Amino acid sequence: MDLNVMINETLAKMKEEGYVEKVVKAQLESTIEGIMSDALRKYSDFGKELEKQVEEQLQVNLKNLDLPSYNQIILNTVNDELERSVHDVGVKKMQENLQKLLGTSEEEYKLSKLIKKMVDEELELHELDYEAFEEITVHVETRYGTTYVSFDPEEDVSEYSCKYRIALDETGTVIRVEIADTSFDNKVIMGGLHGLNAILFKMWTRKSKLIIDNYETEFSNPEYD
């Protein structure tokens, strides 16, 4: 085995593959990087001068900072943003609820349908025995050209004590709606109205007509119908 031949062949192969150039380049990059690092380090002349220039440009004196004032500015900014967000979200929610409520209202409603809706929401008919039934209260009275419709899920309730009360003009158009435990204020509308309350709100805002048709006042378990 001729060692010189092996070495020469290896060197020739490394030269062809550019290995020597790669090593030289890598060493040069490392050397230059070290020089630049030393020249720019914090404690070098350049680093010290750079630090001095930055401090002079900033001109910040911590002793003169009014930190409580900055804290108040931050607090005021947070409060302003919170109020804006609550307002924007609240108005958007109200608009969505109004569109939902008013966008699907009808021109006419039947009293029997309103009563059935109340019964479905407030009576537990499925718990009644075969021959048992629940009785509700319905009043329909016309006085001086105005028709007053009152109904309640309980039986034998006086007209003025009924939970639901509707006033109609001579054409049958809804001119007033009263619900015992609900007022149509902004808070209620933003929270959303559902079921019979939503229907009555639509009728009142849309000025729909209420048809006084045949209605029932006694209801039994629908499973036995």
Side-chain angles (χ1 to χ4, degrees):
M1 180 181 295
D2 192 335
L3 185 60
N4 288 332
V5 173
M6 292 180 59
I7 292 175
N8 288 331
E9 291 178 351
T10 302
L11 288 175
K13 185 176 182 181
M14 292 174 62
K15 182 179 179 181
E16 291 177 359
E17 294 177 351
Y19 178 79
V20 176
E21 288 82 353
K22 292 179 182 178
V23 172
V24 172
K25 181 179 179 182
Q27 289 299 323
L28 282 174
E29 290 177 348
S30 176
T31 301
I32 294 173
E33 182 179 353
I35 295 172
M36 294 299 294
S37 178
D38 290 340
L40 298 176
R41 73 185 186 279
K42 181 176 181 181
Y43 299 106
S44 67
D45 292 340
F46 177 82
K48 292 178 181 179
E49 183 64 23
L50 178 62
E51 184 178 13
K52 179 181 177 181
Q53 292 294 327
V54 171
E55 288 178 351
E56 291 178 354
Q57 290 296 323
L58 290 176
Q59 295 181 352
V60 175
N61 189 339
L62 295 178
K63 294 181 180 179
N64 295 331
L65 283 179
D66 186 3
L67 294 182
S69 296
Y70 282 99
N71 289 339
Q72 187 61 46
I73 291 174
I74 294 173
L75 180 60
N76 291 341
T77 302
V78 172
N79 286 336
D80 291 343
E81 180 63 21
L82 181 60
E83 291 180 2
R84 184 195 64 78
S85 298
V86 170
H87 176 268
D88 292 347
V89 172
V91 170
K92 182 178 180 181
K93 182 66 174 178
M94 184 184 296
Q95 291 174 340
E96 290 176 354
N97 285 334
L98 282 173
Q99 290 174 357
K100 185 184 297 183
L101 286 170
L102 302 179
T104 57
S105 58
E106 300 176 8
E107 296 292 339
E108 294 183 349
Y109 293 83
K110 293 182 178 180
L111 178 56
S112 61
K113 298 293 185 181
L114 300 184
I115 292 174
K116 183 62 168 57
K117 185 67 174 177
M118 178 190 70
V119 169
D120 291 341
E121 291 180 358
E122 305 195 33
L123 298 184
E124 301 293 339
L125 297 181
H126 290 283
E127 297 181 0
L128 297 178
D129 295 332
Y130 178 71
E131 295 183 351
F133 64 90
E134 290 278 4
E135 185 171 355
I136 65 170
T137 299
V138 181
H139 297 281
V140 179
E141 301 288 341
T142 300
R143 296 186 293 271
Y144 304 106
T146 301
T147 300
Y148 300 91
V149 179
S150 306
F151 50 101
D152 194 280
E154 302 289 336
E155 63 178 324
D156 297 327
V157 180
S158 66
E159 176 183 349
Y160 298 101
S161 298
C162 284
K163 181 176 181 178
Y164 303 99
R165 302 178 62 197
I166 306 171
L168 312 173
D169 65 12
E170 295 179 350
T171 67
T173 301
V174 175
I175 57 177
R176 187 171 70 251
V177 170
E178 296 178 4
I179 304 175
D181 57 355
T182 303
S183 60
F184 297 135
D185 57 16
N186 288 350
K187 182 178 180 181
V188 171
I189 296 172
M190 285 177 64
L193 293 169
H194 309 281
L196 182 57
N197 286 6
I199 293 175
L200 294 176
F201 178 76
K202 296 176 187 179
M203 295 174 64
W204 172 60
T205 53
R206 181 70 177 269
K207 302 304 178 185
S208 301
K209 290 187 177 182
L210 179 61
I211 307 301
I212 310 299
D213 60 343
N214 294 326
Y215 55 85
E216 299 180 4
T217 57
E218 292 183 356
F219 298 86
S220 58
N221 192 327
E223 294 182 0
Y224 303 124
D225 291 346

